[in-house]
Amino acid sequence: MRKLVLLAIVGLAAQLVDGSLGMAYGVTSTTLLLATGAAPAAASATVHLAEIGTTLVSGASHWKFGNVDWKVVARIAVPGAIGSFAGATFLSSLSTDSAAPIMSGILLALGVYILIRFTAWGTPRGRLGKPVRKRFLAPLGVFAGFVDSTGGGGWGPVATPALLASGRMEPRKVIGSVDTSEFVVAVAASIGFLIGLGGEGIPVGGVIALLLGGLIAAPIAAWLVRHIPSRILGSLVGGLIVLTNVRTILNSDFLNASFAVRTASYIVIALVWTGAVAWSLRAYRAERAEVKAAEAEPVAA
């Protein structure tokens, strides 16, 4: 029972982050499931089954708050579903011993990307209002969907930064569109896992716990996306993902690192993580000061 309550809290926290950043529900949840000893394919399947409900509610909430570009959703969701089904089939065919370090490696790469992306650049703006091209969205959807299934998460970490970097959409619409399209991706991935695993090893209680936590958080996150400092949150989440997956890799049979190596690695990561959060906080305050100064100039004139 304690484990189910913990999973519900994880689902709630992960959905708050995902709904606010447009990423990290699957990455965060899968990372923590792997840390509890879950098999990689079963962990990813658990998260994606829960995401069917959370992404549906999240998409509806984002739509209600006007955060969705339906043209983008239509052009990225179907390619994403194809990629996620292929990824789920691929992961289901691997043994647990082979899949664990592969998944942790993917999650680690995504965590590093999130940490660097939000710490160094925040959320870019520019060229707003220009249409996002289909020839860009289709390959992005296939790649993001494949990474999402094989890594237990990755739809948001791949799709959201790519759309933000284009500078053609408002950050809130990027986040809302990515979260809404993820429903189709989650359904396709779940079908792939159910075919590949036959339901074996997928904890129903874990799915329900993650789902309940995510359902509670989804509408709150859709509202928070207009107010929360995404730069700081991105640095916090990225560091957590990096630390947890480095631990998994160092403890794996492939490396079996010594206690000294593990301790030194954790200390270095903690120092870098603390510095990244401090940098993001400073940058956020500087951005806020610039905005206030710009708003005060017309009044002074």
Side-chain angles (χ1 to χ4, degrees):
M1 184 64 185
R2 182 182 298 177
K3 184 177 179 180
L4 293 179
V5 173
L6 179 61
L7 285 176
I9 295 173
V10 168
L12 188 149
Q15 184 58 45
L16 278 175
V17 172
D18 186 271
S20 303
L21 280 181
M23 64 178 75
Y25 177 88
V27 178
T28 304
S29 301
T30 304
T31 293
L32 295 175
L33 282 173
L34 286 177
T36 65
S44 186
T46 300
V47 170
H48 282 91
L49 284 167
E51 280 184 328
I52 293 176
T54 60
T55 53
L56 181 62
V57 175
S58 180
S61 301
H62 278 297
W63 169 69
K64 180 180 178 180
F65 286 105
N67 298 335
V68 180
D69 185 327
W70 289 105
K71 289 183 179 179
V72 172
V73 172
R75 291 175 178 176
I76 200 173
V78 174
I82 294 172
S84 66
F85 181 84
T89 304
F90 170 74
L91 185 63
S92 298
S93 66
L94 295 178
S95 67
T96 299
D97 291 338
S98 300
I102 293 175
M103 178 178 283
S104 292
I106 294 173
L107 291 169
L108 174 59
L110 293 172
V112 170
Y113 184 82
I114 293 171
L115 180 63
I116 294 175
R117 180 67 187 175
F118 282 90
T119 301
W121 297 290
T123 51
R125 299 169 182 265
R127 295 185 294 174
L128 287 176
K130 293 184 179 180
V132 184
R133 297 174 182 176
K134 187 176 181 179
R135 63 186 181 186
F136 168 72
L137 290 173
L140 175 64
V142 173
F143 178 69
F146 186 84
V147 172
D148 186 72
S149 292
T150 54
W155 175 254
V158 174
T160 298
L163 289 174
L164 285 173
S166 72
R168 295 170 182 259
M169 297 174 65
E170 296 178 63
R172 68 183 182 88
K173 289 210 168 185
V174 169
I175 293 168
S177 300
V178 169
D179 272 10
T180 301
S181 59
E182 193 172 9
F183 169 74
V184 181
V185 174
V187 170
S190 298
I191 293 173
F193 281 120
L194 289 174
I195 292 175
L197 300 176
E200 184 179 352
I202 302 176
V204 178
V207 173
I208 295 174
L210 284 175
L211 175 61
L212 289 177
L215 290 178
I216 294 171
I220 301 173
W223 177 81
L224 282 177
V225 73
R226 294 170 177 258
H227 308 284
I228 197 166
S230 58
R231 185 167 196 162
I232 299 172
L233 187 57
S235 297
L236 286 168
V237 173
L240 174 64
I241 294 167
V242 168
L243 179 63
T244 308
N245 285 287
V246 164
R247 175 183 175 276
T248 300
I249 293 173
L250 291 177
N251 289 331
S252 67
D253 293 334
F254 284 85
L255 290 181
N256 194 21
S258 65
F259 175 79
V261 171
R262 295 199 305 270
T263 302
S265 299
Y266 301 153
I267 292 174
V268 170
I269 293 171
L271 291 173
V272 173
W273 186 12
T274 302
V277 174
W279 178 275
S280 293
L281 180 59
R282 180 181 178 184
Y284 171 71
R285 288 176 174 173
E287 290 170 359
R288 290 290 299 167
E290 288 178 5
V291 171
K292 289 181 179 180
E295 292 174 348
E297 283 182 3
V299 177

